[in-house]
Amino acid sequence: MSPSAFALPTGAPKHILCVGAAVLDTLFRVPTMPTGQGKVLPYDMLQIAEGMASSAAYAIARLGGRASLWGAVGHDETGERIVRDLADAGIQTDGMLRVEGARSAISTILVDDDGERLIVPFYDPKLHEHTRIVVPKDIAAFDAVLVDVRWPELAQQVLKMARAEGKPAILDGDVARDGVIEQLAPQATHIVFSEPAAHRLTGADNFAEMAALLKRRFAQSFICVTAGAAGSFWFDDQSDNLLHSPTITVKAIDTLAAGDIFHGAFALAIAEGRHPAEAIQFSSVAAAMKCEVFGGRTGAPTRDEVLDRLSSFTTPRQA
């Protein structure tokens, strides 16, 4: 498909509700990952508000959509910093919850010269002790919803309401505590699994087998498994075939938030009415391009930058 087919549609930008993680990350860039105790001396650092849903929302905004974020922060200085950073990034944060007596989520992340990372996150359980009741008017303004696994009680309500209202209800199927994916998946119209989550749920080591097993388990949903540099494996409900979509080749500098960029781009493409094959093309290129830049979500490309790279994308084939 010609890259021009992925140009921003005419009319008002599609508005996506993202639900889940909002974290203040401190990123340290190191030559190699530490293997034991001692002192590690980074040669670069960045402090930035992100998290799965937050980074996906940023990708949506960068790619020409509108993004609103529902998440929770503590009623503290860190929480104010998180909300301020995300708002400055073009994300609508009026739905953010500030929780008295809870500490905002923080994370320390090491990124090595091969682009791999080590993440030490802290989430205060008090952040998500109370969940708002979601009614139809709450999601009426949105063209699609995207939820992660960090606030399952709210995510379940949002997915269920979106599906009932005929809107795409997309689940970021990442690693979660036991039972969360099983709780959320029945409400989702689309589920995009990370490799670790897919392996954990199926026990399979082969990507095609993972996708096939997950489709049998969650037959009501579109199923995709992202495989990093190997692209994505997904089940085409129209042809009843399992397909493999490769991605572009890049030199990975920082893989942090690549999956989140994929999810945000995918949600926007689906909201724009694109076929899943097109949505995966678009998302794969955006996620791969992010890996070329140190800085977590800050590496998310613009729409024009993605269009420039789509010409090298390979069409999907049967897995």
Side-chain angles (χ1 to χ4, degrees):
M1 177 171 287
S2 169
S4 62
F6 294 90
L8 194 65
T10 58
K14 297 302 181 182
H15 193 177
I16 316 299
L17 171 62
C18 300
V19 178
V23 187
L24 184 62
D25 283 348
T26 303
L27 283 61
F28 293 107
R29 198 170 182 190
V30 296
T32 59
M33 284 295 170
T35 56
Q37 64 180 356
K39 184 179 291 186
V40 178
L41 299 177
Y43 63 89
D44 200 357
M45 71 86 64
L46 174 68
Q47 196 168 57
I48 186 172
E50 47 187 5
M52 289 184 286
S54 300
S55 297
Y58 180 67
I60 291 165
R62 289 279 286 171
L63 293 166
R66 292 177 62 201
S68 290
L69 179 66
W70 288 2
V73 296
H75 207 287
D76 53 24
E77 185 176 341
T78 301
E80 291 305 313
R81 164 75 185 274
I82 290 170
V83 174
R84 184 174 64 252
D85 279 9
L86 295 175
D88 289 346
I91 300 166
Q92 294 180 231
T93 58
D94 51 309
M96 292 291 292
L97 180 65
R98 292 165 175 81
V99 183
E100 290 284 356
R103 290 171 289 177
S104 295
I106 60 172
S107 185
T108 298
I109 302 167
L110 301 184
V111 180
D112 70 14
D113 283 347
D114 291 323
E116 296 304 319
R117 74 269 193 199
L118 174 66
I119 305 174
V120 184
F122 172 75
Y123 292 90
D124 189 339
K126 294 179 182 178
L127 280 174
H128 301 145
E129 281 185 343
H130 303 287
T131 301
R132 63 184 292 179
I133 302 299
V134 180
V135 297
K137 69 176 183 179
D138 291 329
I139 64 165
F142 303 112
D143 298 294
V145 303
L146 168 65
V147 309
D148 69 29
V149 295
R150 286 288 177 255
W151 196 349
E153 292 76 20
L154 181 59
Q156 183 177 27
Q157 287 196 61
V158 169
L159 288 174
K160 184 176 181 179
M161 189 60 64
R163 188 164 193 149
E165 295 296 308
K167 301 173 187 284
I170 303 161
L171 170 61
D172 176 349
D174 205 351
V175 175
R177 67 176 188 265
D178 289 348
V180 168
I181 294 293
E182 291 83 354
Q183 173 187 350
L184 299 179
Q187 309 300 335
T189 59
H190 302 72
I191 312 175
V192 179
F193 289 96
S194 68
E195 174 190 352
H199 174 73
R200 181 174 176 179
L201 286 165
T202 66
D205 294 315
N206 177 277
F207 287 109
E209 185 181 0
M210 290 179 193
L213 289 171
L214 289 166
K215 181 61 183 178
R216 287 181 209 148
R217 188 169 182 180
F218 306 117
Q220 81 290 340
S221 303
F222 169 82
I223 297 295
C224 175
V225 177
T226 58
S232 304
F233 292 78
W234 54 284
F235 195 88
D236 181 20
D237 294 307
Q238 291 183 348
S239 66
D240 205 32
N241 284 323
L242 185 65
L243 302 181
H244 172 224
S245 289
T247 189
I248 59 174
T249 300
V250 299
K251 167 58 178 172
I253 301 298
D254 174 12
T255 59
L256 181 68
D260 309 327
I261 304 308
F262 186 106
H263 285 94
F266 181 84
L268 179 59
I270 291 297
E272 291 175 353
R274 302 184 187 279
H275 186 275
E278 299 169 2
I280 289 172
Q281 275 189 296
F282 184 66
S283 307
S284 295
V285 171
M289 292 178 69
K290 182 259 107 38
C291 295
E292 297 177 317
V293 181
F294 171 72
R297 68 163 170 86
T298 63
T302 65
R303 189 112 180 186
D304 286 343
E305 289 170 341
V306 173
L307 295 183
D308 285 342
R309 297 287 285 275
L310 271 166
S311 59
S312 64
F313 195 94
T314 305
T315 55
R317 58 179 181 266
Q318 190 163 342

